Amino acid sequence: MNDSIAGSQIRFVLDAKDKEIRAGRMTGSGGKNPRGETYDFTNYYMVHNDKPHIPVVGEFHFSRFAYLQWEEELLKMKAGGVNIVASYVFWNFHEEQEGEFNWSGNLNLRHFVDLCGKHQLPLIVRIGPFCHGEVRNGGMPDWLFSYPFEVRSNDEGYLYYAKRLYREIARQLNGCFYQEGGPVIAVQLENEYMHAGAPMDAWGYTREKYISSGRDGREHLKVLRGIAEEVGMHPMFYTATAWGNAAVPEEGTLPMLAGYAYTPWIPNQPPSREYLFRDLHMNPVEEVDYDSPEYPAAYCELAGGMQVSYHARPIVDADSVEAMTIVKLANGSNLVGYYMYHGGTNPVGQKTYMNEQALPKMTYDYQAPLGEFGRIGESYDRIRTLSMFLEAYGELLAPMGSVIPEDQHAITPENTMDLRWSVRQQEGSGFLFMNNYQDHMVLPDRDIQLQLHTGKGAAFYPREGTMQLKSGMAAILPFHMNLDGMKIISATVQPLTRFMVNQELTAVFYAHDGMTAEYVIDATSVTNVDMPEGAVSKQRNEVVIHPIAGKDHHLQITTSDGMVIRIITLTREEALHTYRFHLGGEERLVISSSHLYVQNEMLICNSLEQPEFEVSFYPAPEHVLPSKYAVSSQSKRGIFGTYTFQVSSYEPAVEVDYPKEYAATLRLDTAWPEQVDDVWVEIDYEGDVAAAHIHHQMLTDHIHYGHNWMLGLKQSRHLLADHALRLSITPIRRGTTESYVNQAYVERFEGVEIGKFNEIRVIPHYRVGLIIAGREDTSSKSKSTIVN
């Protein structure tokens, strides 16, 4: 239990000027597709269909996942709030042998692009030639280094092969650019050029041999762009990784930043500066090679997790991902991109494994929101709540400038005493951002009251007394927000989403643990508050509402203009299980204990291990028709229609043998019943590293870092019909090792070797499809408080 810092009171006068929004270096770099949809930029944000837009970008490397499941995984990304996909094209995956290009199976770039187009997911293609991505030689094929030229330079010999690569990629992308009606909106040339290289694994002798970071600056990127366009690639705009010393072309290229707190490349890493409030648009965290006020602050590599290496095994928790996103939004980022959003598995090469040295040979799970084999992590739900907020309120937030209180600049990562907070505002309205998370440290719970004094009046958090900002938590709270005529002065609840139902606005918020739900509303803007439960009072010119949080409760407000606004205040736990989909002909809020996505107009419910799960809808549909193998019951609580679905439970038949120490063999029944979509193996083991094989193939491997090892079997079910799943552990040594050469290599170890299986569980993953139709009457009886 963390100690609580009590009585923190902050009074801040917000008198900042509004952000200057004007044309910037990216203005005019957009375009229009045949449907009339458009993209463009100001100096501060992206514009989509003539409206300010804060997109969420998710990195998913198609070549690291089974192509038969690409569509499902893209739909999970879309359900998770991703509205732009990014992906590397690793040269050595496609041309491992010189002159032999492979674009089939899991390497079928065109199929992946077409799926993105089918599901209206814009795509950023990162085409190299150098990518890095923790791939062997940074993605460059071994044979390239046998030639007498300098890679990553304007050497004509190198450019010949770069052009040949680009020509092949252009063939795959033919007709797929946005202006042509395809999904590809942008291309990234190179990666971290002039900033970083990668281990030269083709060298093979020593770990201290690295590929050059480049030497020709912007001129090289200009040459690569000329080649790309010559062979037929014409994206609306280009992107560039822009941190450190990286080169950034001045025109038509969006600089994109990175934020990592758990970095294996920094030994004994101290707490990072990633969780501090700073104005990114004016002063990026580190020196950059571009004029930052001329471009939107954008991230292509916010840490969605981190890949463990043999020498560094960090655990990236969901709190860190959520807090970093909130801090970067507060700091003026108007594009958030996660690396990785979706992990995967390296393919096995014809001659070698394709991993970078000291990393797992195959697994690239990355602890990402969606991981290897489609694993769904805790951060998936955290990101989705923020993505829903950006979808609903991004147009409002995007033009708001960052206002960083002066005392925040003095806070260091090691500071555990002072509250970390800032605002974004325009014309005295905006959002308050607070963060109580710091990597490699534990911050205490804080009891606080914060007062904002703006040109529109004072906003108190809370109105009276204090609220608690718990350790590890970050929050976004509104002030002086005009919500369709209802003027919210302050609220201790976080906006989640908003949408129209029957020409009435439904606004959804959620209450953080430790913060009593409270809305303070300008009394002149409302005439009635209708609320079945909770407390409403009028204090001077304010209406103070304390609702009961939870989906079974709601309130309706009638504005002075006669508009009716329905407010739903969820609990934090409910918000983390909430989605917004277009189902049955209209927008709906869906809350479920299972994970959801939409495919072919059906709601797909995925439930790991639990054969019974609940799904709640608002507006409540007239009919919900489940798959034939699911049994359902229906109830009505508040304004939500709630359905409970039950499928026949399935206990996968498995025989587990331990043929020798540190080894296990599993023989599984692959005749799964219809309601079972996948079977997972969860392995709790002690050891150094582990590997899984089926017949002659390695399925994946694992470096032990403190979490159980999860294997999804759907991709390899056909192999398991005839072969066993073999697990092996390389034990970890605790003791001393002496090694020397005496005509041959000799190693003597004294100590203990630890390697054992604590538990192996086989877990069914259920799937139910639902057809949603019609809508029930959404009216409800409530008490009415007249406030004017």
Side-chain angles (χ1 to χ4, degrees):
M1 190 73 172
N2 297 310
D3 293 333
S4 179
I5 294 180
S8 297
Q9 292 186 335
I10 295 173
R11 184 180 186 276
F12 184 74
V13 178
L14 181 60
D15 58 0
K17 294 180 180 179
D18 289 349
K19 188 72 180 181
E20 181 187 0
I21 308 298
R22 52 179 171 77
R25 290 284 176 81
M26 289 297 294
T27 302
S29 298
K32 179 187 293 187
N33 69 13
R35 294 187 296 273
E37 299 164 334
T38 61
Y39 281 99
D40 205 349
F41 296 88
T42 69
N43 68 317
Y44 196 51
Y45 52 78
M46 178 182 277
V47 178
H48 183 38
N49 295 334
D50 300 320
K51 295 180 180 179
H53 179 54
I54 304 180
V56 176
V57 183
E59 187 92 11
F60 178 26
H61 299 156
F62 65 95
S63 53
R64 283 171 153 159
F65 211 84
Y67 75 98
L68 293 176
Q69 275 77 57
W70 283 347
E71 185 165 26
E72 177 184 346
E73 299 308 305
L74 286 170
L75 291 172
K76 285 159 64 176
M77 291 176 70
K78 190 171 184 177
V82 169
N83 43 37
I84 297 177
V85 176
S87 192
Y88 276 133
V89 180
F90 294 114
W91 188 357
N92 55 354
F93 286 10
H94 297 281
E95 194 188 6
E96 187 179 357
Q97 306 258 29
E98 184 179 357
E100 299 177 12
F101 280 93
N102 183 0
W103 300 102
S104 64
N106 297 348
L107 303 178
N108 191 336
L109 171 60
R110 179 54 178 257
H111 179 44
F112 182 77
V113 172
D114 287 344
L115 286 173
C116 289
K118 174 183 177 181
H119 297 293
Q120 298 182 6
L121 283 165
L123 178 64
I124 300 172
V125 186
R126 305 172 82 179
I127 63 172
F130 176 86
C131 294
H132 200 190
E134 290 72 64
V135 167
R136 182 179 176 86
N137 306 323
M140 291 181 158
D142 283 23
W143 57 261
L144 192 69
F145 299 97
S146 69
Y147 287 100
F149 50 66
E150 184 177 356
V151 301
R152 305 185 78 187
S153 77
N154 286 338
D155 186 306
E156 287 299 325
Y158 171 69
L159 293 177
Y160 168 82
Y161 287 99
K163 183 175 183 178
R164 193 180 66 172
L165 169 68
Y166 280 12
R167 189 164 52 237
E168 283 286 327
I169 295 173
R171 286 180 59 234
Q172 304 301 313
L173 300 182
N174 183 41
C176 294
F177 291 95
Y178 191 75
Q179 306 93 311
E180 304 169 304
V184 179
I185 60 171
V187 164
Q188 179 185 301
L189 307 169
E190 253 283 342
N191 187 59
E192 297 184 319
Y193 190 69
M194 300 291 292
H195 173 69
M200 188 186 288
D201 294 300
W203 177 254
Y205 297 103
T206 174
R207 294 183 56 204
E208 284 72 40
K209 183 72 173 176
Y210 294 94
I211 296 169
S212 166
S213 62
R215 60 174 171 83
D216 292 323
R218 294 175 180 171
E219 184 60 31
H220 181 57
L221 297 180
K222 181 180 178 181
V223 170
L224 289 181
R225 176 171 175 169
I227 292 172
E229 293 176 348
E230 179 187 345
V231 299
M233 288 190 272
H234 297 282
M236 287 189 297
F237 61 96
Y238 292 85
T239 69
T241 45
W243 48 90
N245 301 315
V248 179
E250 293 185 356
E251 302 296 336
T253 299
L254 179 65
M256 302 187 79
L257 301 171
Y260 293 106
Y262 296 88
T263 49
W265 55 88
I266 300 178
N268 303 313
Q269 180 190 344
S272 76
R273 301 179 63 82
E274 300 295 343
Y275 301 94
L276 302 179
F277 291 105
R278 303 289 187 267
D279 187 341
L280 283 169
H281 192 236
M282 302 306 295
N283 300 293
V285 175
E286 53 185 315
E287 286 191 22
V288 292
D289 185 39
Y290 62 94
D291 187 3
S292 61
E294 294 296 317
Y295 301 87
Y299 276 84
C300 63
E301 293 193 16
L302 274 182
M306 180 53 65
Q307 182 68 336
V308 298
S309 69
Y310 188 77
H311 304 288
R313 309 184 186 196
I315 295 176
V316 181
D317 59 45
D319 283 348
S320 71
V321 178
E322 182 178 22
M324 188 182 291
T325 305
I326 288 174
V327 168
K328 301 310 182 188
L329 288 172
N331 291 353
S333 175
N334 275 331
L335 185 152
V336 291
Y338 294 97
Y339 189 101
M340 295 290 294
Y341 185 89
H342 201 312
T345 312
N346 289 327
V348 178
Q350 300 175 45
K351 296 183 176 180
T352 185
Y353 291 102
M354 306 303 284
N355 62 302
E356 183 176 290
Q357 58 190 236
L359 271 74
K361 292 183 175 68
M362 293 191 67
T363 184
Y364 199 68
D365 176 79
Y366 212 84
Q367 304 174 56
L370 296 175
E372 191 177 28
F373 308 113
R375 172 195 55 78
I376 299 177
E378 188 181 349
S379 58
Y380 177 77
D381 297 326
R382 308 292 189 92
I383 291 172
R384 188 177 62 257
T385 64
L386 296 172
S387 300
M388 291 171 70
F389 163 70
L390 293 176
E391 180 186 24
Y393 294 95
E395 182 180 349
L396 189 64
L397 176 64
M400 293 180 175
S402 296
V403 181
I404 314 296
E406 190 60 37
D407 61 356
Q408 291 295 307
H409 293 280
I411 294 178
T412 63
E414 295 78 14
N415 183 326
T416 63
M417 298 301 295
D418 294 317
L419 174 67
R420 304 176 186 193
W421 69 281
S422 72
V423 301
R424 283 182 69 170
Q425 74 87 40
Q426 186 179 48
E427 298 180 349
S429 301
F431 296 93
L432 165 67
F433 297 82
M434 296 181 292
N435 172 44
N436 204 25
Y437 180 90
Q438 176 64 55
D439 62 286
H440 298 89
M441 295 187 69
V442 176
L443 301 185
D445 294 342
R446 302 178 191 280
D447 294 322
I448 59 175
Q449 187 193 58
L450 197 148
Q451 304 176 18
L452 291 180
H453 295 267
T454 81
K456 292 189 174 180
F460 292 75
Y461 299 91
R463 186 67 185 83
E464 295 179 356
T466 62
M467 62 186 184
Q468 188 172 78
L469 185 67
K470 289 189 172 294
S471 176
M473 177 179 144
I476 305 171
L477 308 178
F479 64 89
H480 294 300
M481 182 169 70
N482 190 330
L483 197 61
D484 276 25
M486 180 183 68
K487 298 176 181 178
I488 298 177
I489 297 171
S490 65
T492 61
V493 289
Q494 183 157 322
L496 182 63
T497 189
R498 57 178 175 172
F499 57 103
M500 301 300 292
V501 178
N502 279 344
Q503 285 75 53
E504 296 177 0
L505 177 67
T506 294
V508 187
F509 299 80
Y510 70 90
H512 285 280
D513 297 337
M515 294 186 180
T516 300
E518 175 185 88
Y519 301 87
V520 180
I521 300 172
D522 184 339
T524 65
S525 70
V526 301
T527 58
N528 286 292
V529 177
D530 300 332
M531 187 165 64
E533 299 172 279
V536 183
S537 63
K538 185 177 180 183
Q539 303 176 17
R540 296 182 294 277
N541 293 320
E542 298 173 345
V543 177
V544 181
I545 303 172
H546 289 104
I548 297 175
K551 63 182 173 62
D552 296 343
H553 313 280
H554 73 285
L555 62 101
Q556 281 187 328
I557 289 179
T558 305
T559 71
S560 300
D561 297 329
M563 299 290 294
V564 176
I565 299 174
R566 190 188 302 270
I567 295 180
I568 301 171
T569 308
L570 301 175
T571 65
R572 161 79 165 173
E573 185 64 23
E574 287 171 341
L576 291 173
H577 292 91
T578 298
Y579 300 74
R580 210 184 99 190
F581 295 123
H582 191 83
L583 288 168
E586 61 186 311
E587 291 295 306
R588 297 184 195 273
L589 203 67
V590 188
I591 304 175
S592 180
S593 56
S594 61
H595 279 105
L596 310 174
Y597 63 90
V598 174
Q599 184 174 27
N600 300 327
E601 300 185 1
M602 291 182 64
L603 182 65
I604 307 300
C605 309
N606 287 299
S607 177
L608 187 63
E609 193 167 10
Q610 299 302 321
E612 180 177 292
F613 52 92
E614 191 176 87
V615 186
S616 297
F617 300 90
Y618 170 75
E622 184 178 355
H623 298 293
V624 175
L625 305 176
S627 307
K628 61 184 180 182
Y629 46 83
V631 178
S632 66
S633 60
Q634 180 183 0
S635 63
K636 187 75 180 292
R637 299 197 294 268
I639 58 174
F640 281 84
T642 297
Y643 294 77
T644 301
F645 298 96
Q646 175 79 50
V647 297
S648 298
S649 61
Y650 172 66
E651 186 172 342
V654 58
E655 296 178 3
V656 183
D657 296 317
Y658 298 93
K660 65 174 185 176
E661 195 176 13
Y662 316 141
T665 299
L666 283 69
R667 297 189 179 277
L668 298 106
D669 177 14
T670 58
W672 305 341
E674 192 174 5
Q675 74 273 21
V676 174
D677 183 56
D678 201 350
V679 169
W680 287 77
V681 180
E682 181 180 10
I683 305 137
D684 178 3
Y685 76 96
E686 297 177 45
D688 192 11
V689 299
H693 288 81
I694 301 176
H695 197 39
H696 299 306
Q697 300 179 26
M698 182 186 284
L699 176 64
T700 190
D701 54 348
H702 189 261
I703 292 177
H704 196 285
Y705 68 102
H707 282 190
N708 287 354
W709 184 19
M710 298 290 292
L711 301 177
L713 302 182
K714 179 165 63 174
Q715 297 175 7
S716 51
R717 179 181 178 183
H718 61 296
L719 298 174
L720 291 168
D722 298 314
H723 305 285
L725 174 67
R726 306 194 312 276
L727 308 176
S728 58
I729 299 172
T730 299
I732 191 167
R733 287 177 167 181
R734 293 179 181 169
T736 59
T737 302
E738 294 183 2
S739 58
Y740 55 93
V741 176
N742 181 16
Q743 293 186 331
Y745 185 83
V746 177
E747 179 182 89
R748 290 180 178 170
F749 170 71
E750 292 185 7
V752 295
E753 290 187 333
I754 301 171
K756 67 175 182 177
F757 294 98
N758 294 325
E759 185 180 17
I760 299 175
R761 297 179 64 223
V762 182
I763 307 168
H765 190 181
Y766 301 103
R767 181 184 187 273
V768 172
L770 308 177
I771 298 175
I772 314 301
R775 185 209 299 168
E776 289 185 349
D777 182 15
T778 59
S779 62
S780 61
K781 295 181 179 180
S782 61
K783 68 182 182 183
S784 177
T785 301
I786 299 176
V787 298
N788 245 359

